[in-house]
Amino acid sequence: MIPRYSRPEMVAIWDPATKFRIWYEIEAHACDAQADLGVIPRENAEAVWKAKDVEFDVARIDEIEAVTKHDVIAFLTHLAEHVGADQARFVHQGMTSSDVLDTTFNIQLVRATDILLDDMDKLLAALKARAMEHKMTIRIGRSHGIHAEPVTMGLTFARFYAEMERNRNRLEKARFEVATGAISGAVGTFANIDPAVEAHVCEKLGLRPEPISTQVIPRDRHAMFFATLGVIASSIENVATEIRHMQRTEVLEAEEFFSKGQKGSSAMPHKRNPVLTENLTGLARIVRMGVVPAMENVALWHERDISHSSVERMIGPDSTITLDFALSRLTGVIERLVIYPDNMIANMNKFRGLVHSQRVLLALTQAGVSREDAYRLVQRNAMKVWEEGRDFREELLGDAEVTAALSPAEIDEKFDLGYHTKHVDTIFERVFGA
């Protein structure tokens, strides 16, 4: 990913130097296990560890690969330059390139996921704090973009919290899914390497042995992983879209923090645009872009082909780096989001009580009016509000058919906003606990 949308800790996971360090650890631990089994001399295994403090020369490895046209062989050649050709002759004993590549890829995904989980914890904390702050801040709920009935801003934040909490649970499962390693040799039969080597390497590197790996770790695991990242990205877009709507000039119920000296437009000095949430909408598309290729990687030829390799070299870094940046950016947006409660009330009252129509409808049916007639009575008065700017309560009070069923006091009671917030505590307990 480009630096603009990258954070150093996540980028470091995908740095070539990090990759080669993991390759080295896999090979060194495998040599230890081979020595324990008596397959290679102990002194050769110990010699490999002499390179533990070496900073592998990425340029030198690239130089060798330009000749060998094989990245793992290039690395092993460079490792032998540090360890000594004779001492390194048992390195990679019985292994195949995928043992190193696939196990490394999963280690990188696990490390990336740990950062993403921390990101999600920070986002959840921000959403919870704003939910509690605006637990009873009334705003209009909308369906199809049209005023529906009153809700609270706290419920909006709580809804996003619950969604992100589900996503965090999914991410934990995705981490478990890819936390496997394979050191099973050509076509995965362990013909030239003992399964104990795989078990040892996986234990040292915090993985589980892949139950059956052919020559590669099954890619359904990775499909599930990247699909999970795609779902999280979609949830980020869900939050961002709501904020973008709230910041529209005609709505202005909330807006992104606008810092001193910030400029909104090169042409129009008055502009304060939702640039961060628009950016998040775009970043979500990039993360989702990796989902379909990850799904297509599942179907490989026989025991192995490398059609998945070029895909993963891109979607591994790009998806995790982008999602890390997006989660952090969204957390900042939520923490600093400016809320306008007065505008929320003004918007809700724009149609003079119309949002209470369902309560009147239900009251009429309770009073003995058929649902069809009740709907007709309420709708004909509501349409006067839409079309002529009338006041809904006044229209109801002036409708003889309505007042024949409901007294003025009963009609007035149906305009109480507190009716709509009476179960907010119950919903909050479901989301956040008692």
Side-chain angles (χ1 to χ4, degrees), residues 9-41:
E9 187 180 4
M10 184 66 85
V11 170
I13 290 174
W14 301 101
D15 188 272
T18 302
K19 177 184 70 175
F20 293 135
R21 173 56 50 180
I22 299 171
W23 287 13
Y24 166 73
E25 291 176 3
I26 290 170
E27 297 286 3
H29 286 305
C31 286
D32 277 346
Q34 297 275 36
D36 290 343
L37 294 169
V39 175
I40 70 172

Side-chain angles (χ1 to χ4, degrees), residues 32-135:
D32 277 346
Q34 297 275 36
D36 290 343
L37 294 169
V39 175
I40 70 172
R42 169 58 60 188
E43 57 266 27
N44 288 77
E46 292 174 353
V48 175
W49 284 110
K50 292 178 181 177
K52 63 182 175 59
D53 296 322
V54 168
E55 290 189 17
F56 297 108
D57 188 338
V58 176
R60 173 59 181 151
I61 296 170
D62 289 344
E63 179 185 357
I64 299 169
E65 186 183 354
V67 177
T68 64
K69 304 297 190 292
H70 196 291
D71 53 355
V72 175
I73 292 174
F75 170 76
L76 294 173
T77 301
H78 181 55
L79 178 59
E81 291 176 342
H82 290 284
V83 176
D86 185 63
Q87 296 282 45
R89 63 196 175 97
F90 295 112
V91 173
H92 208 65
Q93 180 86 8
M95 295 168 60
T96 188
S97 297
S98 292
D99 292 335
V100 178
L101 297 171
D102 282 14
T103 302
T104 296
F105 188 48
N106 280 8
I107 289 170
Q108 290 173 303
L109 292 179
V110 167
R111 291 180 183 178
T113 304
D114 288 340
I115 293 175
L116 294 174
L117 288 168
D118 183 64
D119 292 340
M120 297 207 73
D121 286 339
K122 291 182 174 67
L123 175 57
L124 286 167
L127 288 167
K128 181 177 181 179
R130 300 314 299 268
M132 295 301 177
E133 178 187 357
H134 291 284
K135 184 177 181 179

Side-chain angles (χ1 to χ4, degrees), residues 263-277:
K263 303 293 189 293
S265 167
S266 63
M268 296 166 282
H270 72 278
K271 295 294 292 296
R272 288 159 67 124
N273 301 328
V275 291
L276 299 180
T277 45

Side-chain angles (χ1 to χ4, degrees), residues 349-362:
N349 293 333
K350 187 174 292 185
F351 287 92
R352 300 171 178 269
L354 208 56
V355 297
H356 301 287
S357 71
Q358 182 179 191
R359 287 206 68 197
V360 179
L361 167 67
L362 296 177

Side-chain angles (χ1 to χ4, degrees), residues 112-169:
T113 304
D114 288 340
I115 293 175
L116 294 174
L117 288 168
D118 183 64
D119 292 340
M120 297 207 73
D121 286 339
K122 291 182 174 67
L123 175 57
L124 286 167
L127 288 167
K128 181 177 181 179
R130 300 314 299 268
M132 295 301 177
E133 178 187 357
H134 291 284
K135 184 177 181 179
M136 292 298 181
T137 302
I138 298 287
R139 69 185 290 243
I140 187 62
R142 297 170 173 88
S143 56
H144 307 279
I146 309 300
H147 283 199
E149 293 193 352
V151 296
T152 77
M153 191 66 211
L155 288 175
T156 300
F157 283 122
R159 169 165 58 91
F160 292 140
Y161 176 95
E163 183 173 346
M164 288 300 176
E165 188 174 48
R166 291 192 296 272
N167 282 328
R168 193 191 189 286
N169 292 335

